[in-house]
Amino acid sequence: MTPAQRPTLVTGAAGFIGAEVVLRLLERGEPVVGLDNLNTYYDPALKQARLERLQHHPAAAFHFVRMDLEDRAAMEGLFAEQRPRRVVHLAAQAGVRYSLENPAAYIQSNLVGFGHILEGCRHHGVEHLVYASSSSVYGGNREMPFSEQHAVNHPVSLYAATKKANELMAHTYSHLYGLPATGLRFFTVYGPWGRPDMAPMLFARAILAGEPIRVFNHGRMQRDFTYIDDIVEGVIRCSDKPATADPHFDPLHPNPATAAVPHRVFNIGNSQPTELLRFIAVLEQALGRQAIQDLQPMQPGDVPATAADTQALEAWVGFQPATPIEVGVERFAQWYREYHGL
């Protein structure tokens, strides 16, 4: 098998971001192995519908494997059999609030599972590992916009802590084994085929059903809503450019954004933080219905605002997310009605 014939392994392939990344790779004519365990954290029917789009793609270069990341023997077998050239690791136990209820799921998937990904990359000559981090790593930080050069030592949820741990684990493998690895800190992703546990889907369902929506922190939350196509573009561009060591890294004055080894981290966000009440107003207009708002206090593990500094991403791959929420929400609302037959 020549290097060009070796597939890209995409974990979380039935997930929101994962399925769209697979589609983009298939459109480029690349063979893809997709991994997902199709767990019941949210409705598996949506995951199956995403998978059907991939399996019916005319490129016919998609192979799906149902597997748990935390199954060490199965993961070792997968890497040995498929010998992926690159790995785009998007599988994880997601959700900030759920991490308060079921911390064990995050430890198993996000820590143990990620360890198996790193071992597979190490032992099977993977050229580049791109993995999902999260804007949640900024935790208690209040300096805006969030920059990769800021320290991220104060997580406010276990989910955030596992993502910070992933960055440290990947850096270690880059240091010890020379594995090129890039961590991408995603900022509130939304769009068609999105996750049902996230605000846009929750809001759309309730608004169209005439039910109240829960609006936390009385709507005084700001989020850097980032459209799915922009996220995918950033993932693909970063995957195409393996991480390299920063030749100017100074261990006496270490820059958290780079390293003396081939490991990098980048924000992927729209750099246009939007108040939650504004987002709701745009969604109301797109759906043609008014929301019934149930104003709630801040939830444990949440942060009041997020905003991405994406200068490093633009300098590295020449791309900066820019889809306005008016455009992204309209596309989301149209998909939502079509998918649910409304």
Side-chain angles (χ1 to χ4, degrees), residues 158-242:
L158 181 63
Y159 171 72
T162 64
K163 290 300 185 178
K164 162 72 171 176
N166 287 171
E167 294 181 3
L168 295 174
M169 294 164 72
H171 179 279
T172 302
Y173 271 68
S174 296
H175 173 76
L176 293 174
Y177 310 114
L179 171 66
T182 300
L184 301 178
R185 295 172 177 171
F186 299 143
F187 283 68
T188 314
V189 189
Y190 76 99
W193 298 96
R195 276 173 34 203
D197 62 314
M198 294 187 69
M201 291 275 272
L202 292 170
F203 290 171
R205 187 203 64 77
I207 290 170
L208 291 173
E211 299 172 356
I213 61 172
R214 292 194 300 167
V215 182
F216 294 108
N217 200 32
H218 304 278
R220 295 188 299 271
M221 308 269 278
Q222 285 194 334
R223 289 291 181 268
D224 204 341
F225 291 100
T226 310
Y227 189 62
I228 180 63
D229 289 1
D230 289 337
I231 292 288
V232 172
E233 185 67 25
V235 170
I236 296 296
R237 290 197 186 207
C238 286
S239 176
D240 287 343
K241 186 174 181 179

Side-chain angles (χ1 to χ4, degrees), residues 29-293:
E30 298 186 26
V32 179
V33 173
L35 178 152
D36 206 292
N37 67 356
L38 300 176
N39 67 31
T40 57
Y41 170 65
Y42 62 79
D43 185 5
L46 179 59
K47 300 178 183 182
Q48 290 286 0
R50 295 188 190 119
L51 271 182
E52 288 177 11
R53 294 171 68 217
L54 306 179
Q55 292 167 331
H56 294 151
H57 193 278
F62 176 67
H63 174 64
F64 177 67
V65 178
R66 184 169 182 173
M67 186 178 293
D68 286 317
L69 290 173
E70 50 266 43
D71 186 335
R72 179 180 175 182
M75 290 297 292
E76 288 176 347
L78 177 69
F79 272 90
E81 177 184 351
Q82 299 295 337
R83 296 184 59 238
R85 182 165 65 101
R86 297 176 184 170
V87 173
V88 180
H89 177 56
L90 302 170
Q93 178 57 60
V96 169
R97 295 187 186 106
Y98 186 58
S99 67
L100 278 66
E101 303 170 22
N102 189 3
Y106 292 77
I107 292 168
Q108 287 300 310
S109 180
N110 299 8
L111 298 180
V112 174
F114 189 59
H116 295 159
I117 290 290
L118 290 170
E119 278 291 276
C121 292
R122 168 196 172 192
H123 290 293
H124 295 281
V126 168
E127 294 176 3
H128 189 202
L129 166 65
V130 174
Y131 64 94
S133 185
S134 168
S135 61
S136 67
V137 300
Y138 291 104
N141 290 19
R142 290 294 176 267
E143 183 180 351
M144 298 284 178
F146 293 149
S147 167
E148 299 92 340
Q149 297 187 33
H150 296 166
V152 288
N153 299 319
H154 302 93
V156 296
S157 70
L158 181 63
Y159 171 72
T162 64
K163 290 300 185 178
K164 162 72 171 176
N166 287 171
E167 294 181 3
L168 295 174
M169 294 164 72
H171 179 279
T172 302
Y173 271 68
S174 296
H175 173 76
L176 293 174
Y177 310 114
L179 171 66
T182 300
L184 301 178
R185 295 172 177 171
F186 299 143
F187 283 68
T188 314
V189 189
Y190 76 99
W193 298 96
R195 276 173 34 203
D197 62 314
M198 294 187 69
M201 291 275 272
L202 292 170
F203 290 171
R205 187 203 64 77
I207 290 170
L208 291 173
E211 299 172 356
I213 61 172
R214 292 194 300 167
V215 182
F216 294 108
N217 200 32
H218 304 278
R220 295 188 299 271
M221 308 269 278
Q222 285 194 334
R223 289 291 181 268
D224 204 341
F225 291 100
T226 310
Y227 189 62
I228 180 63
D229 289 1
D230 289 337
I231 292 288
V232 172
E233 185 67 25
V235 170
I236 296 296
R237 290 197 186 207
C238 286
S239 176
D240 287 343
K241 186 174 181 179
T244 57
D246 178 1
H248 305 294
F249 186 81
D250 181 359
L252 295 179
H253 302 91
N255 177 1
T258 66
V261 299
H263 179 259
R264 299 278 175 132
V265 292
F266 297 105
N267 292 333
I268 301 187
N270 203 42
S271 303
Q272 296 291 331
T274 302
E275 190 166 77
L276 190 55
L277 293 177
R278 167 66 180 152
F279 186 89
I280 292 168
V282 174
L283 182 58
E284 288 174 328
Q285 183 173 1
L287 293 172
R289 301 275 186 88
Q290 191 166 358
I292 304 167
Q293 297 184 19

